[in-house]
Amino acid sequence: MDCVFCKIVAGELPSTKLYEDDQMLVFQDIAPAAPLHYLAIPKTHIPGVDGITADNSAVIAHIFEKIAALTAERGISDYRVVSNVGEQAGQTVRHLHFHILSGPKGGPMY
Ligand code: AMP
Ligand code: ZN
């Protein structure tokens, strides 16, 4: 499948990883829109929030549990979690991802 995030999961494209387990990956956004900008993704290919179903939603709970833990571990208490759905909303990669944005206010998305 021609999906940039599936290629990152497969190790076919490089990424700066913050966290990885059997279900998910957190890595640095290549074009940060805030001083801290990570992307949290499921390893399975779900196109976006619009592709979440009763059959695959367990990984979403897992991703949010890890977002809470990873930020807390680093003393990050103020941040945004964003997921764009569809081109008009700014989705450019059709593999579900949650932007984690933090840092001093001022960037385009934080
Ligand atoms: P969105 O526009 O909401 O679909 O977000 C896609 C995000 O993926 C953008 O913020 C891009 O900067 C980021 N991105 C695209 N390709 C890569 C890559 N190879 N490594 C890391 N981040 C990427
Ligand atoms: Zn994918």
Side-chain angles (χ1 to χ4, degrees):
M1 188 186 292
D2 194 24
C3 169
V4 62
F5 289 175
C6 280
K7 285 181 179 160
I8 285 176
V9 168
E12 291 165 11
L13 279 177
S15 68
T16 304
K17 290 176 195 171
L18 177 73
Y19 176 79
E20 179 171 18
D21 65 26
D22 58 328
Q23 296 181 65
M24 65 176 283
L25 190 60
V26 182
F27 55 98
Q28 273 180 3
D29 196 294
I30 205 168
L36 182 155
H37 189 169
Y38 287 104
L39 299 171
I41 69 168
K43 287 193 166 178
T44 53
H45 183 87
I46 299 170
V49 169
D50 54 343
I52 298 171
T53 66
D55 290 335
N56 64 23
S57 61
V59 70
I60 309 303
H62 179 68
I63 287 171
F64 274 85
E65 186 190 321
K66 289 299 171 191
I67 289 173
L70 292 166
T71 49
E73 276 168 19
R74 287 163 179 75
I76 301 163
S77 58
D78 299 68
Y79 57 95
R80 287 180 73 196
V81 180
V82 175
S83 193
N84 300 318
V85 185
E87 263 180 54
Q88 286 193 47
Q91 187 176 14
T92 58
V93 178
R94 278 295 274 168
H95 181 128
L96 177 62
H97 52 282
F98 297 100
H99 297 263
I100 303 163
L101 301 146
S102 188
K105 214 163 168 58
M109 282 182 74
Y110 186 77

